[in-house]
Amino acid sequence: MKNPAFEKETFKKSVKENVKNLYRKTLKEATQQEIYQAVSYSVKDVIIDQWLATQQTFDKTDAKIVYYMSMEFLMGRALGNNLINLTAYNEVKEALEEIGVDLNAIEDEEPDPALGNGGLGRLAACFMESLATLGYPAYGCGIRYRYGMFKQKIKDGYQLEEPDNWLKNGYPFELRRPEHTFEVKFGGYVRAEASGNGHTKFIQEGYQSVRAVPYDMPIIGYNNNMVNTLMIWDAEPIQCFELDSFDKGDYRKAVEQENLARNLVDVLYPNDNHIAGKELRLKQQYFFVSASIQRALARFKKNHPDIHMLPQKVAIQMNDTHPTVAVAELMRILLDEEGLGWDEAWEITSKTCAYTNHTIMAEALEKWPIEIFSRLLPRIYQIIEEINRRFLLDIEAKFPGDYHKKEKMAIIHDGQVKMAHLAIAAGYSVNGVARLHTEILKNQELKDFYEMFPEKFNNKTNGITQRRFLYHGNPLLSAWITDKIGDDWITNLSHMEKLALFADDKKAQQEFMNIKYQNKLRLAKYIQKHNGIEVDPRSIFDVQVKRLHEYKRQLLNILHIMFLYNMLKEHPDMDFYPRTFIFGAKAAAGYRIAKLTIKLINSVADVINNDKTINGKLKVVFIEDYKVSNAEWIFAAADVSEQISTASKEASGTGNMKFMLNGAVTIGTMDGANVEIAEEVGEDNIFIFGMSSDEVIEHEKRRDYNPMEIFNNDQDIRQVLMQIINGFYSQNDTELFRDLYNSLLNTQCTQFADTYFNLKDFRSYSDAQKRVEEAYRDEERWAKMAMLNVAHVGKFSSDRTIQEYVDDIWHLEKIQVEPEEF
Ligand SMILES: *Cc1c(COP(=O)(O)O)cnc(C)c1O
């Protein structure tokens, strides 16, 4: 049933009205940005009714709700995807055309709400979309950073970071909800007071506090009238008259509190898989967790007088350890505000909270110094001390006398609070994000915890939403697929299996490859416009887009490109299939080696792209400011997907799945979800290389890897490494890339040389790349491989992932929202 609001004449009128009311302009006079705003408000009008209806259905059905707590939500643009999920995209596109407005140009006016770094934040966004599409009641809980992920500019080959003031024009899809304001307290001290019933009351005094004000964003399900909510919190100063009575009239304190609120949500820390350990970050964590739990409990108590019912009606999922203070905050409220005893409060908390682990890398595991923690969150720290005390008794009961185990597993140890240990001790579920990752957790990193709580551990292999990364990002392929197999894939990706029937069909192969060519043309134009580089759309588009991190090994990729270039120079007539290597990656602002890698990629690009002697057979492009909106186009245009992390280091990866969905073939290691991708597509349709995770872990244990041996014995590798420090790519500045060279070879510089085994995997990578070229030359073989990748992508829908979370962890029931007008 079509929504009458999207009937063309009605919609056109609504847009014109909005332009008039918002800007006192006619459509002709309005800028593209103003039209974008007007169109968005017209769409929001429709959403609001469904949003209200969804909330009323929550109340009517008394359904259990999941609160997905995440420091990051990497949402991407909303307008296009909202229209798609309202099944109004084409109607609106046509209606706008009739009044001379190009929907794609309008979509380009929307800033990416970049409230996340990379995979972890994008996962949260895909999960929200799948929850709504599957009809499960959910709230996302996060922070409304005033400045999101920095905008990346490339100047002279170097990354520059510019502030991302995404709110500067106002964001049409958010709704400020001041009626759901809560107070969040920091610092001060805790006073104990005997209360009548033999309990002790704990009262926080002398604290500073801020007002947490939520902005709600609608999360629209596909074609089902369901609109869930993402609540992101802003911090505002407490009004002077609201000061704790103890501090009334304290001017200094009032100013301090105002500053606290000012700074609290200013920026997202730009580290991916790495902890900065800054005090402000801990404040951010407690701020959004406390406010979210207060709102969740207020909603719960509206309809449920008995707090013991909480685990039946509320699940709290912690996306990594960042929101782990949730367990202590829930305990605090149950003990201090609801007046429960410890055992009752623990029973409820440990049946409500669940934890998702995202990494095993030491530098990413959150630990807070006791000093910071206890000063900032005195009551929360007390509660964690008590959780720790009881946890150590449990360990003693299970492993009597094993002192070493207690040291290793303690929540508080060596002057630090270990957030992962708290999350596992308190949560009823601990999940990894790909099968291999979960096995490594159980058998290596969290072995002690697995032995203590085997029943808590489970795997939930990540997924992605096909509505954004195929339907919206690749309209040509979407339409073709629907033409071939119908449109069931939109809500059930396993239907893609039917495409396998066409994999040997010559006509289908040609159509498929022609669509890929059109998408490559689209990207080539983008590159021409943004980089001023001409690339050949008939060359192989070989793409590595993801955060810049040593473990992801962009360095291996660029070293291999340098090697190819040397070969081409030496054998100008060699049979070489033209290839365009495309990179996109932001580096954390303080991550020196990562930023230097960006410079190296750009320097190599400069030399190679300007060398006329190789006849344009090799091109290297670094796409500036990689983000969700340009990612959608990049995936659509890729032939080859680079997933080349050191085995055991990438927990899952989700970029790998988006490429596969768009018919790119993976070259990758047996790491993260690549293992499961290989299993789904079969070994003929993927290029696997490099050490296994077991081999990597074994070398790490034995510390027996010596890259210098490879350097000494492999002339091609030696040549490439020497070019890093002989000025070949740096206009005779031999020192520019010295740190990269040292990271690979010099044990004096890093604890271990080549920590990520770049040189060790180099030959096997280059052999795999030869197999890629050979396969691409055979047009039919390649078309078949690419199509079979799409055909076997079904497992990697976030719809599948969410259904598993629901079945094994959250136990939610689907609701049905009837369309209604208010
Ligand atoms: C999917 C995605 C990521 C994660 O990519 P990986 O290759 O899994 O690291 C990061 N950033 C953006 C913008 C994405 O869309």
Side-chain angles (χ1 to χ4, degrees):
M1 191 181 58
K2 283 289 168 193
N3 191 313
F6 291 120
E7 194 274 315
K8 278 188 195 170
E9 293 310 314
T10 316
F11 192 78
K12 287 194 286 193
K13 198 164 150 229
S14 159
V15 171
K16 285 182 190 162
E17 282 295 307
N18 277 336
V19 170
K20 216 165 66 185
N21 292 327
L22 287 166
Y23 305 107
R24 207 213 60 188
K25 284 184 182 175
T26 65
L27 196 59
K28 266 213 181 75
E29 296 167 317
T31 64
Q32 295 286 85
Q33 171 65 213
E34 287 164 349
I35 299 173
Y36 153 71
Q37 296 268 347
V39 170
S40 295
Y41 279 106
S42 298
V43 175
K44 193 178 177 184
D45 280 345
V46 182
I47 293 171
I48 291 286
D49 282 318
Q50 298 192 4
W51 210 352
L52 273 165
T54 302
Q55 288 301 320
Q56 293 193 353
T57 312
F58 282 15
D59 285 336
K60 261 202 314 263
T61 57
D62 191 23
K64 185 175 182 182
I65 300 174
V66 64
Y67 290 84
Y68 195 83
M69 304 237 174
S70 180
M71 282 291 268
E72 304 185 17
F73 287 89
L74 193 52
M75 299 302 289
R77 291 175 178 156
L79 176 58
N81 282 87
N82 286 348
L83 286 172
I84 281 195
N85 282 10
L86 294 164
T87 62
Y89 192 88
N90 290 331
E91 264 171 296
V92 164
K93 192 168 167 50
E94 285 165 23
L96 290 176
E97 263 161 30
E98 289 173 18
I99 50 177
V101 172
D102 173 4
L103 176 57
N104 293 131
I106 291 304
E107 285 184 59
D108 252 345
E109 290 291 321
E110 181 174 343
D112 278 48
L115 309 182
N117 273 287
L120 175 143
R122 184 55 232 175
L123 184 76
C126 283
F127 280 5
M128 292 311 299
E129 200 270 352
S130 281
L131 278 161
T133 292
L134 294 176
Y136 292 116
Y139 284 89
C141 308
I143 295 173
R144 183 174 176 270
Y145 301 103
R146 289 180 200 135
Y147 295 88
M149 191 56 202
F150 63 78
K151 274 200 179 42
Q152 182 191 55
K153 287 272 152 56
I154 301 295
K155 184 142 190 288
D156 302 326
Y158 290 100
Q159 166 178 296
L160 299 181
E161 301 93 25
E162 286 185 359
D164 167 29
N165 187 4
W166 69 288
L167 289 165
K168 113 185 128 212
N169 296 315
Y171 192 71
F173 290 104
E174 67 176 9
L175 206 61
R176 186 168 182 267
R177 304 298 303 280
E179 68 273 33
H180 296 294
T181 294
F182 294 95
E183 186 179 11
V184 178
K185 300 173 182 173
F186 297 97
Y189 54 90
V190 181
R191 188 166 56 80
E193 186 179 273
S195 79
N197 54 10
H199 285 161
T200 309
K201 273 190 77 153
F202 295 90
I203 302 151
Q204 193 174 351
E205 286 178 347
Y207 54 83
Q208 298 183 351
S209 62
V210 297
R211 281 155 49 90
V213 183
Y215 285 70
D216 287 355
M217 282 201 205
I219 308 288
I220 295 154
Y222 181 80
N223 194 21
N224 66 355
N225 307 307
M226 179 112 171
V227 180
N228 274 332
T229 304
L230 172 63
M231 55 167 109
I232 50 177
W233 296 88
D234 187 23
E236 295 180 6
I238 290 275
Q239 311 294 303
C240 240
F241 58 82
E242 286 174 63
L243 279 181
D244 192 0
S245 60
F246 184 83
D247 302 306
K248 276 242 157 77
D250 185 338
Y251 174 74
R252 180 189 58 84
K253 183 133 193 191
V255 172
E256 268 176 23
Q257 295 199 120
E258 189 154 337
N259 285 334
L260 176 63
R262 281 250 167 71
N263 304 329
L264 195 52
V265 299
D266 262 353
V267 289
L268 163 71
Y269 282 95
N271 305 309
D272 189 69
N273 272 301
H274 186 91
I275 296 308
K278 292 283 194 299
E279 191 168 322
L280 182 60
R281 166 90 173 182
L282 182 58
K283 283 187 196 163
Q284 289 182 336
Q285 294 182 347
Y286 183 65
F287 168 72
F288 94 92
V289 162
S290 174
S292 303
I293 291 184
Q294 291 186 65
R295 185 166 173 194
L297 287 182
R299 184 177 226 299
F300 168 83
K301 286 171 77 169
K302 212 171 58 177
N303 303 320
H304 308 91
D306 182 3
I307 193 76
H308 296 87
M309 288 276 288
L310 192 71
Q312 276 110 284
K313 294 297 167 189
V314 169
I316 293 175
Q317 189 68 35
M318 302 182 288
N319 194 25
D320 211 326
T321 55
H322 317 151
T324 299
V325 281
V327 303
E329 175 66 358
L330 184 52
M331 285 296 289
R332 181 191 69 77
I333 294 173
L334 295 176
L335 293 168
D336 297 355
E337 292 177 19
E338 298 297 323
L340 300 191
W342 183 277
D343 291 331
E344 277 178 304
W346 182 252
E347 171 83 7
I348 294 171
T349 301
S350 59
K351 283 185 172 159
T352 303
C353 299
Y355 160 58
T356 302
N357 176 286
H358 281 269
T359 180
I360 57 168
M361 289 195 304
E363 66 268 32
L365 293 181
E366 282 196 297
K367 304 176 181 110
W368 294 103
I370 289 176
E371 187 279 316
I372 293 183
F373 207 107
S374 57
R375 173 164 48 79
L376 214 57
L377 307 171
R379 178 60 183 142
I380 294 298
Y381 182 71
Q382 271 186 347
I383 289 168
I384 294 175
E385 275 187 316
E386 180 61 13
I387 295 174
N388 184 48
R389 191 184 69 78
R390 290 170 182 247
F391 182 49
L392 292 177
L393 291 176
D394 291 346
I395 299 173
E396 174 60 28
K398 184 128 184 175
F399 306 101
D402 193 339
Y403 184 76
H404 191 53
K405 251 203 165 75
K406 279 195 261 187
E407 270 202 342
K408 280 193 294 179
M409 297 174 73
I411 298 166
I412 303 174
H413 181 70
D414 212 11
Q416 293 179 312
V417 185
K418 300 184 173 179
M419 302 311 276
H421 297 191
L422 175 60
I424 300 167
Y428 67 94
S429 163
V430 177
N431 77 279
V433 290
R435 192 206 301 143
L436 174 69
H437 169 62
T438 302
E439 288 306 308
I440 292 174
L441 290 180
K442 292 197 293 189
N443 303 324
Q444 317 262 353
E445 303 300 318
L446 300 178
K447 191 162 187 283
D448 296 316
F449 290 92
Y450 178 56
E451 282 168 6
M452 177 115 182
F453 307 114
E455 73 289 349
K456 291 189 184 184
F457 283 72
N458 64 96
N459 175 247
K460 296 287 166 282
T461 298
N462 284 166
I464 53 162
T465 169
Q466 65 267 33
R467 268 85 58 189
R468 179 176 293 271
F469 291 108
L470 183 59
Y471 198 177
H472 183 259
N474 195 342
L476 295 176
L477 187 58
S478 299
W480 182 82
I481 291 171
T482 296
D483 186 53
K484 288 283 183 269
I485 65 168
D487 66 1
D488 291 339
W489 61 270
I490 298 170
T491 49
N492 184 348
L493 200 61
S494 63
H495 282 273
M496 284 294 195
E497 204 65 49
K498 296 179 206 154
L499 273 184
L501 294 172
F502 297 90
D504 287 304
D505 175 337
K506 300 262 150 50
K507 181 168 157 280
Q509 288 178 352
Q510 269 170 14
E511 290 167 351
F512 185 90
M513 289 311 287
N514 185 47
I515 287 167
K516 182 60 81 178
Y517 182 78
Q518 297 303 320
N519 287 323
K520 286 163 79 173
L521 264 181
R522 180 175 72 164
L523 185 63
K525 282 186 191 143
Y526 182 95
I527 289 169
Q528 178 66 255
K529 180 173 163 200
H530 289 83
N531 298 64
I533 299 173
E534 190 177 327
V535 299
D536 179 0
R538 284 158 309 182
S539 64
I540 303 173
F541 276 22
D542 181 314
V543 186
Q544 185 173 22
V545 286
K546 48 182 73 251
R547 284 302 293 260
L548 203 313
H549 206 298
E550 286 166 279
Y551 84 80
K552 293 176 182 280
R553 296 202 295 196
Q554 282 92 354
L555 193 53
L556 175 59
N557 189 344
I558 196 69
L559 293 175
H560 174 255
I561 294 168
M562 292 160 68
F563 159 70
L564 289 181
Y565 180 55
N566 289 339
M567 273 206 312
L568 260 177
K569 293 288 281 180
E570 207 170 316
H571 313 283
D573 299 323
M574 75 182 278
D575 201 9
F576 184 92
Y577 202 97
R579 225 196 264 221
T580 303
F581 286 95
I582 297 168
F583 291 85
K586 290 180 185 176
Y591 191 172
R592 263 186 40 257
I593 290 281
K595 292 176 87 168
L596 196 55
T597 305
I598 291 177
K599 172 63 178 168
L600 178 64
I601 293 168
N602 283 309
S603 298
V604 171
D606 258 357
V607 170
I608 293 180
N609 297 343
N610 294 309
D611 184 341
K612 301 280 191 300
T613 70
I614 57 169
N615 287 323
K617 283 183 187 164
L618 193 53
K619 286 274 167 84
V620 182
V621 176
F622 190 97
I623 294 181
E624 191 176 72
D625 205 37
Y626 176 59
K627 55 184 170 179
V628 175
S629 56
N630 57 27
E632 293 177 29
W633 286 31
I634 295 169
F635 297 127
D639 293 309
V640 177
S641 161
E642 297 270 355
Q643 307 302 334
I644 61 178
S645 54
T646 311
S648 80
K649 305 297 179 195
E650 187 76 271
S652 165
T654 49
N656 45 6
M657 303 165 186
K658 300 168 201 166
F659 279 104
M660 183 186 185
L661 178 65
N662 284 274
V665 182
T666 302
I667 179 168
T669 48
M670 278 300 215
D671 199 17
N674 296 353
V675 176
E676 290 159 77
I677 289 177
E679 181 173 291
E680 295 297 305
V681 297
E683 60 180 27
D684 289 347
N685 300 308
I686 189 166
F687 298 92
I688 294 294
F689 73 94
M691 281 193 286
S692 68
S693 59
D694 285 341
E695 288 173 292
V696 169
I697 290 167
E698 193 57 30
H699 279 301
E700 287 174 341
K701 279 191 183 142
R702 294 207 302 249
R703 302 185 177 193
D704 63 352
Y705 168 52
N706 181 7
M708 196 52 96
E709 262 171 45
I710 298 174
F711 178 83
N712 288 332
N713 294 309
D714 188 321
Q715 204 171 285
D716 295 326
I717 290 180
R718 191 162 64 245
Q719 184 185 8
V720 163
L721 291 198
M722 292 314 291
Q723 287 169 333
I724 299 183
I725 53 161
N726 69 10
F728 190 85
Y729 290 105
S730 48
Q731 293 161 342
N732 297 324
D733 177 355
T734 57
E735 299 314 298
L736 183 56
F737 298 121
R738 177 76 62 179
D739 287 350
L740 288 178
Y741 175 89
N742 284 341
S743 81
L744 293 170
L745 286 173
N746 189 340
T747 39
Q748 247 114 55
C749 249
T750 48
Q751 198 182 356
F752 307 102
D754 196 13
T755 321
Y756 296 102
F757 300 93
N758 288 283
L759 303 194
K760 181 90 180 160
D761 277 348
F762 185 94
R763 276 292 157 194
S764 135
Y765 178 55
S766 118
D767 291 344
Q769 283 289 22
K770 275 187 221 147
R771 288 185 273 132
V772 168
E773 177 177 325
E774 197 186 324
Y776 198 86
R777 283 174 189 280
D778 181 343
E779 283 172 36
E780 284 175 21
R781 180 176 162 206
W782 189 270
K784 182 175 174 180
M785 286 180 86
M787 278 170 66
L788 286 178
N789 267 268
V790 184
H792 294 131
V793 77
K795 175 175 178 182
F796 304 105
S797 170
S798 45
D799 298 342
R800 186 270 313 152
T801 313
I802 284 298
Q803 192 57 51
E804 290 181 8
Y805 275 91
V806 166
D807 292 343
D808 304 341
I809 304 176
W810 302 332
H811 307 293
L812 309 174
E813 274 166 53
K814 284 193 184 195
I815 62 168
Q816 179 64 50
V817 179
E818 299 306 331
E820 240 181 294
E821 271 187 58
F822 296 89

